[in-house]
Amino acid sequence: MTTALEAPPLRPLLDDLVCSHRPERETGSVPANIPFLSEVPFDRFGIAVATTSGEVFSSGDAHVPFSIQSISKVFTLAMALQRDTTGTLWSRVLREPSGTAFNSLVQLEAEHGIPRNPFINAGALVVTDHLMEETSDAATWLLRFLTAEAGSSGPFIDEAAAASELSGSSRNLALAHFLKDFGNLRPTAESVVENYVRQCSIMMTCAELAKAALFLAREGRGTLGPVLTPSDAKRIGSIMLTCGMYDAAGEFAYRVGLPGKSGVGGGILVIVPGKCAI
């Protein structure tokens, strides 16, 4: 019996997408504070689909590691919610679209140190701080989580890239100091930003990332068992839909209509509830 996902067959469909959309010329630019991203070949393009039935379809450069950057925020939020039995996390960060740049200082100051959502940088710093209540090395903790969910020993932290990015993290440090001044950050601003930058510097392949995110398509059930309650898995999907693309979230929701999260490393993670992670 074939499923809707297999009609048309996914593998030829993905091959066609890669053939049609692999970049033919270099356009745009990478952030000046993350110089190692400019070393990635501009025509690198891959796609992977991990289905809830356990299959993985891929094409192009789907097995070449890339820097997941802000896609990591989806997983740190999941880890934080695993342990947030009292709901205190949602008193420190909201669940509203920001409508401003992902690294806005003005909004954070105007709203007294409470970030609009966990996917803008200020909100992600609060989530990282929440994880650091249990360990000072939250980035390595995240890496272990991703490795287990992906069922692969491939993911790793690119420490050289993290050090390079950290040297240009003045704005993230400014956000962290704002949070600290408003009493919404517990450790030092420097330690939280270091953990945050290291989590963003995790390298994974498209196939690994799709498999690691499957718990969001399976009502919270991960590779090794429950990761989240069905309600929390659904709620993360809701925040991805409304906030995952920052000030372009409305356009993405209109055109694609699925929960998604972008990363400046070039990745996009999308969830089709009950079906697959892409």
Side-chain angles (χ1 to χ4, degrees):
M1 179 179 176
T2 59
T3 67
L5 273 176
E6 296 167 333
L10 268 179
R11 191 164 283 110
L13 176 62
L14 298 184
D15 289 341
D16 182 60
L17 286 172
V18 170
C19 182
S20 301
H21 296 286
R22 187 184 293 277
E24 295 182 356
R25 63 183 182 276
E26 189 168 4
T27 59
S29 60
V30 299
N33 67 315
I34 314 179
F36 75 92
L37 292 180
S38 64
E39 301 169 7
V40 180
F42 75 87
D43 60 348
R44 189 166 286 171
F45 186 84
I47 184 169
V49 178
T51 71
T52 53
S53 61
E55 297 174 287
V56 179
F57 301 90
S58 64
S59 185
D61 299 314
H63 297 283
V64 177
F66 69 97
S67 182
I68 67 172
Q69 291 292 318
S70 286
I71 296 174
S72 65
K73 298 170 182 177
V74 172
F75 300 100
T76 52
L77 177 59
M79 292 174 64
L81 289 178
Q82 278 181 328
R83 291 151 181 84
D84 188 40
T85 56
T86 62
T88 56
L89 178 65
W90 296 129
S91 67
R92 302 179 61 196
V93 58
L94 305 178
R95 301 181 291 265
E96 296 292 338
S98 67
T100 59
F102 65 94
N103 57 0
S104 171
L105 289 163
V106 175
Q107 189 174 67
L108 185 63
E109 182 177 22
E111 298 181 353
H112 307 291
I114 305 296
R116 280 283 183 96
N117 65 71
F119 292 154
I120 56 174
N121 285 16
L125 290 170
V126 171
V127 174
T128 296
D129 169 53
H130 198 79
L131 294 179
M132 289 177 69
E133 292 179 12
E134 294 198 30
T135 174
S136 61
D137 191 356
T140 298
W141 192 15
L142 170 62
L143 178 63
R144 293 195 192 105
F145 174 85
L146 290 170
T147 298
E149 290 303 317
S152 167
S153 60
F156 67 96
I157 297 175
D158 188 332
E159 297 289 2
S164 173
E165 186 173 343
L166 188 61
S167 67
S169 288
S170 298
R171 181 170 284 265
N172 283 332
L173 278 167
L175 289 168
H177 282 295
F178 266 113
L179 290 165
K180 185 78 172 177
D181 189 62
F182 281 109
N184 201 10
L185 211 66
R186 298 184 178 98
T188 65
E190 290 77 10
S191 64
V192 175
V193 171
E194 180 182 1
N195 266 279
Y196 169 72
V197 168
R198 290 181 68 235
Q199 84 182 33
C200 288
S201 299
I202 290 175
M203 303 288 289
M204 299 180 72
T205 69
C206 294
E208 289 167 342
L209 190 57
K211 287 189 286 186
L214 261 179
F215 69 93
L216 290 170
R218 292 194 295 216
E219 296 188 318
R221 289 180 288 108
T223 302
L224 303 177
V227 174
L228 295 171
T229 66
S231 291
D232 278 340
K234 181 177 68 175
R235 286 164 177 161
I236 288 181
S238 297
I239 299 171
M240 290 173 71
L241 182 66
T242 57
C243 308
M245 299 293 174
Y246 308 124
D247 46 336
E251 182 70 12
F252 189 84
Y254 179 82
R255 294 180 62 186
V256 180
L258 291 168
K261 183 72 198 80
S262 62
V264 76
I268 296 176
L269 173 66
V270 172
I271 304 299
V272 184
K275 297 292 185 181
C276 64
I278 306 171

